[in-house]
């Protein structure tokens, strides 16, 4: 009785009487109360939601696996894939060096909308070197484009490469022209293909 009185006294919204869930069609009900069983175990990360993930396995050298996370606006985030050989070395990566000979990538100062001072690099250009206890590995750009930013946190916190290479431990950000991307896209593996190749769960 009390429930009937409450329903009768429920206020109108925009001149319409309130509707109970049973009166909605199936499609609307699914939007209001989705099946919990169809929801993912965890919400997608910012990377998963905003970037297409690509991988270069054995890039120029065996075990030199790298990733390229590409945003629809052309920005490409480049870093070490979790199966990169340097991450398997005893003690992991201990240092990163952006001085690759004639140029120190850490000294770039890109300014303005026109990205003044951005370095124009090729996919095979050396981006940096990562060091383990007794070895050094050259990391490549993987994409042709403008180097907009290097992750300078890595110079003080190289351990980010060991603990979060695919997130906070990214190495650099590039801006690439759509035409340049289309030329190399087929050389990369999708995330699923890369996981299958390396046996990653």
């Amino acid at each position: 009785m009390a429930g009937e009185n409450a329903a009768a006294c429920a206020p109108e919204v925009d001149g319409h009487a309130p509707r109970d869930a049973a009166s909605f069609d199936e499609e609307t009900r699914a939007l209001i109360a989705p099946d919990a069983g169809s929801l993912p175990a965890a919400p997608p990360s910012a990377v998963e939601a905003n970037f297409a993930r690509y991988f270069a396995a054995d890039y120029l050298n065996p075990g030199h696996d790298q990733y390229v996370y590409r945003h629809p606006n052309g920005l490409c985030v480049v870093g070490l894939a979790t199966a990169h050989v340097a991450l398997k070395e005893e003690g992991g990566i201990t240092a990163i060096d952006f001085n690759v000979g004639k140029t120190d990538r850490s000294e770039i100062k890109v300014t303005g909308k026109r990205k003044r001072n951005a370095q124009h690099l090729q996919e095979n250009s050396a981006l940096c070197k990562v060091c383990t206890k007794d070895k050094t590995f050259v990391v490549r750009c993987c994409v042709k484009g403008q180097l907009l930013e290097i992750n300078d946190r890595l110079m003080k916190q190289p351990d980010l490469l060991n603990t979060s290479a695919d997130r906070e431990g990214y190495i650099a950000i590039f801006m690439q022209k759509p035409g340049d991307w289309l030329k190399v896209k087929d050389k990369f593996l999708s995330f699923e293909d890369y996981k299958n190749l390396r046996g990653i769960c």
Side-chain angles (χ1 to χ4, degrees), residues 8 20 23-24 42-43 45 50 52 60-61 68 76 86 88 90 104-105 109 115 123 125 132 140 142 149 156 164 183:
D20 58 42
S23 66
F24 289 109
S45 67
N50 298 303
L60 298 187
N61 288 288
V68 176
C76 294
K88 300 177 181 179
E90 182 180 357
D104 188 338
R105 309 289 189 214
K109 301 295 180 185
K115 311 303 181 187
E123 53 261 41
S125 299
T132 61
R140 304 290 173 174
C142 288
E149 172 188 315
K156 293 183 178 180
S164 187
K183 292 176 183 177

Side-chain angles (χ1 to χ4, degrees), residues 33-128:
D35 178 13
S38 66
L39 296 174
S45 67
V47 169
E48 293 168 339
N50 298 303
F51 292 83
R53 294 178 287 175
Y54 297 92
F55 291 81
D58 302 318
Y59 196 75
L60 298 187
N61 288 288
H64 286 223
D65 293 4
Q66 294 183 229
Y67 66 75
V68 176
Y69 294 165
R70 190 173 191 277
H71 193 276
N73 66 7
L75 286 178
C76 294
V77 180
V78 175
L80 299 184
T82 53
H84 192 285
V85 64
L87 298 173
K88 300 177 181 179
E89 289 288 311
E90 182 180 357
I93 294 171
T94 58
I96 186 168
D97 185 2
F98 286 98
N99 190 332
V100 289
K102 296 180 179 179
T103 306
D104 188 338
R105 309 289 189 214
S106 66
E107 294 180 352
I108 66 167
K109 301 295 180 185
V110 178
T111 60
K113 292 183 179 180
R114 296 181 180 275
K115 311 303 181 187
R116 294 186 183 88
N117 302 322
Q119 297 177 12
H120 295 263
L121 302 174
Q122 303 296 317
E123 53 261 41
N124 293 341
S125 299
L127 178 58
C128 66

Side-chain angles (χ1 to χ4, degrees), residues 123 142-144 176 179-188:
E123 53 261 41
C142 288
V143 294
K144 176 183 177 182
Q176 189 179 45
D180 289 334
W181 171 248
L182 292 176
K183 292 176 183 177
V184 299
K185 179 181 177 181
D186 291 342
K187 298 179 181 179
F188 293 96

